[in-house]
Amino acid sequence: MKRKECVKVVVRARPLSSKEVEDGRRRIVEVDTTRKEIIIQNIKGDGNEAQRSFVFDEVFDMNSQQEQVYHNTALPIVESVMDGYNGTVFAYGQTGTGKTHTMEGKNDPPHERGITPRTFDHIIKVIEGTPNIQFLVRCSYLELYNEEVRDLLSPNHLTKLELREKPEQGVFVKDLSKIVVKSVAELNEWLKAGRANRKVGETKMNQESSRSHSIFTLTIESSEFGADQQQHIKSGKLNLVDLAGSERQSKTQAVGVRFEEAININLSLTTLGNVITSLVDGKSQHIPYRDSKLTRLLQDSLGGNTKTVMVANIGPADYNFDETMSTLRYASRAKKIQNNPKINEDPKDAMIREFQEQINKLKDELARKAGGVIGPNGQIQKIKEQVIEVEDDEELTELQKKAQKEKADLEQQIMQQRRQSTLQEEEKKQLQLKLKEKQKLEHNLKKEQENMQKKLQELQEQLLHGDKMKEETRQKEKDLLKARMELEERSQQARRQAEELAKKEAMQMEQEQKYNSTKEEIEAKTQKLNNLIQKIKELKSQAQEQTQFRQRQKEELIEDNRESLRQLNLMNLIIEHFIPEDEEKRLKEKLEFSEEQDDWVIKEFEANPLKKPASAFFFKRPICNFSKMAINFGDTNPRFRPENILQTDLDLPQRMTEDFSHEPSQKIQEVLNVALNEDEEEQQMIQNEKQANVYIEDPSIINKEAILNPPSNPNKVRLQSAIKKNARRPQSGFKK
């Protein structure tokens, strides 16, 4: 029977930011690490409930260190993954509350490193301290941006990937990169490379706000020989999830692309909350995993075969009261989710088995070609000749006779070879050619063996082994961790028992309480009644808060829906006015809805590729009909030479004008006549172009009549500086 266990939920409160301190914000969150309790002041209450409290598996205050958070949250999950379990650690909360800091942190200084890099150190450390087991470690890194899955470790990290699902494998991402790693340095390099490709942006609440959900996955396969001398393989998968934070447009002031990102982030987180509510409710017949790609990716982590830890990050400032309460409510519900974790033994798709089969195949091939066997260190060992010792005299005599006979035959052959002192020239060439071929064959064989040896060494290096010297240290750490976890479990059990005992004692005291007078009894029961009334008011206040919160969520979703409709109407308007109807119809015929991708995709059809026309007889390239006709008439050099010519019909544009066939009115005709007639003044200027320039100091001496009616005079010249009041151009004249 499978052992069920609840999702472990921890809460971490960040300190007030410098901006919140400057704005005079008040801290309303208190953390009680002893009782593992979060206390938040009810700044929106009606006085019935001054504060609210939530109890979790672990809580961290504003002064908590990264190492403390890792050891109390992620370390037990990582140890379970090394034993073959699936594990998930994900950070949840409002934007700007420190989720990325908790998961990744900073490399410098080292104590600021988050859960992910500390996990790398611990995994390699465990492998180094386990000498009798082979390990294979692979990593992948993806992001979910605007409901699109992207591979952050791929050179083409903007390519959209597809989600698929198989019964034996569950939900997976098709064509996702899975990199084999051998050290902490390689893991950190791939994390850094993927982080550089992740979508981040600036908002009013966070300068480097994550605009996508990211999942860094480590797959750890181990192989060892059991007591039955059979090989046993285990496979564990660890998901390190950094969710984008929920946000309100009124606070982040996101517009354009940032606003669209916020809509998709909030929708996926709302679906995650609905999944948590459905799992906890118990009455829901349907769990809405398929409503979002985020919940599909986390399907196994919520109610499936996985050990899960949820790190809820909250802000302590008073103006984040609604968001903090929402996070605490979701975290409190998530504690009730039950998973069914089990060890993944002998999986069918284990890559370590393929690696071992390739290694054994290469060893056998090398041994066969080298005429030896592969030793335990991977080196080729030649088979040595055996010397037979014989003690029987008769056998020794026979062997000696046989040896003498072979010696005589050999001497006879040598004599025959000496008689044939020289060989023919052709025979020498053939022997030399055979010798060269043999040398070439040996060289190729040696090169092939070297390549196979190199490939074998690369495969063996990818399989990690432990060190005997570190085995004892690793065992001590494992025992210490086991003892600490048992101690923590006993303390939690003792605390729960103490709380239950206190409740039972209180109830028993109430039942056994005796009163000295009727008045005392009335006062005591009145006090109890008032306490019950106060509790009812508190419950009503909580219910009212939840109703108001859901109403705000509903209004935000409605507003997001309106914005989406506005965008849809804009797209429809563009299609209606700018895309032809035939083209629109053709595109619609090619679309179909994919259940796997939960989206519209273009149909896969077998298109007939354009083929090059067959070449004409006796010609290298196809030729047109005109050239063929010219050749038939005897033209050896036609106008169109044999080329790949295609006939294309041009689409002439539609005419937008028409001819004017009516008689114009008198007024229009007069305007046309004036425009078409030559200007008299312009003609006069053209006639005077050949005359010399005259400079006149006093323009008043010019006679207007003489200018307009000049006499026939050979000394007629052009005036350059003649000025006429309100004239548009220089005036003509003659020199007196």
Side-chain angles (χ1 to χ4, degrees), residues 160-174:
K160 180 181 176 182
L161 301 182
E162 301 176 5
L163 283 180
R164 297 293 177 88
E165 187 172 2
K166 291 183 179 179
E168 67 278 1
Q169 192 174 353
V171 180
F172 66 97
V173 181
K174 183 183 177 183

Side-chain angles (χ1 to χ4, degrees), residues 225-428:
F225 286 93
D228 55 354
Q229 298 301 318
Q230 296 293 325
Q231 187 183 35
H232 297 279
I233 295 176
K234 297 178 183 178
S235 176
K237 185 170 69 173
L238 176 62
N239 297 317
L240 302 170
V241 186
D242 181 16
L243 299 178
S246 60
E247 55 187 53
R248 289 188 180 181
Q249 196 273 340
S250 59
K251 290 186 176 182
T252 60
Q253 298 183 9
V255 293
V257 177
R258 294 286 173 267
F259 183 66
E260 183 181 353
E261 293 168 348
I263 290 176
N264 287 286
I265 290 170
N266 290 337
L267 284 175
S268 59
L269 292 177
T270 301
T271 305
L272 177 62
N274 294 337
V275 168
I276 292 174
T277 302
S278 301
L279 289 170
V280 173
D281 187 14
K283 299 179 182 178
S284 301
Q285 299 295 327
H286 170 68
I287 310 299
Y289 289 118
R290 301 183 68 87
D291 289 358
S292 171
K293 290 183 179 178
L294 174 64
T295 49
R296 289 195 70 190
L297 289 169
L298 297 179
Q299 181 173 343
D300 214 24
S301 303
L302 301 172
N305 172 29
T306 306
K307 291 175 175 282
T308 304
V309 172
M310 174 182 178
V311 183
N313 295 79
I314 59 175
D318 52 0
Y319 79 115
N320 290 328
F321 173 79
D322 291 331
E323 290 81 1
T324 301
M325 285 295 296
S326 172
T327 302
L328 292 174
R329 287 194 187 102
Y330 279 134
S332 183
R333 290 176 194 163
K335 288 195 308 178
K336 302 175 184 177
I337 298 176
Q338 290 189 337
N339 290 347
N340 302 304
K342 63 181 181 64
I343 296 177
N344 303 307
E345 293 182 310
D346 296 323
K348 295 180 180 179
D349 58 344
M351 186 171 286
I352 193 172
R353 182 183 287 111
E354 298 178 9
F355 273 52
Q356 290 173 342
E357 290 175 355
Q358 291 182 22
I359 289 172
N360 294 331
K361 186 177 179 181
L362 284 171
K363 284 183 177 180
D364 295 340
E365 188 70 16
L366 278 171
R368 183 180 63 80
K369 292 187 176 182
V373 296
I374 300 295
N377 57 354
Q379 300 296 325
I380 302 174
Q381 297 178 353
K382 293 287 184 180
I383 300 176
K384 297 181 180 180
E385 296 180 358
Q386 295 182 355
V387 180
I388 303 175
E389 296 182 359
V390 182
E391 297 180 357
D392 194 353
D393 294 338
E394 294 181 359
E395 292 182 3
L396 183 59
T397 304
E398 291 180 0
L399 287 173
Q400 288 177 351
K401 290 180 180 179
K402 186 177 181 181
Q404 289 177 359
K405 184 179 180 181
E406 290 178 354
K407 183 179 179 181
D409 294 341
L410 184 59
E411 289 177 352
Q412 187 176 0
Q413 290 178 5
I414 292 173
M415 292 298 293
Q416 290 177 358
Q417 290 178 359
R418 287 179 179 176
R419 293 191 191 97
Q420 299 174 355
S421 57
T422 57
L423 295 173
Q424 297 294 332
E425 191 67 25
E426 292 295 331
E427 293 179 356
K428 286 184 180 180

Side-chain angles (χ1 to χ4, degrees), residues 141-152 157 160-163 173 197-199 210-216 241-244 261 264-265 267-269 271 291-298 597:
Y141 199 6
L142 65 85
E143 74 169 349
L144 182 61
Y145 176 72
N146 286 345
E147 287 298 301
E148 292 183 1
V149 181
R150 298 177 178 180
D151 186 357
L152 295 178
H157 63 276
K160 180 181 176 182
L161 301 182
E162 301 176 5
L163 283 180
V173 181
N197 294 331
R198 189 181 176 188
K199 285 286 184 180
S210 301
R211 313 310 296 167
S212 64
H213 310 297
S214 70
I215 303 177
F216 192 98
V241 186
D242 181 16
L243 299 178
E261 293 168 348
N264 287 286
I265 290 170
L267 284 175
S268 59
L269 292 177
T271 305
D291 289 358
S292 171
K293 290 183 179 178
L294 174 64
T295 49
R296 289 195 70 190
L297 289 169
L298 297 179
Q597 302 182 34

Side-chain angles (χ1 to χ4, degrees), residues 572-586:
N572 288 333
L573 189 66
I574 294 173
I575 292 173
E576 182 179 354
H577 288 81
F578 293 95
I579 297 181
E581 293 183 1
D582 296 341
E583 187 70 16
E584 181 184 356
K585 184 178 179 181
R586 186 177 67 84

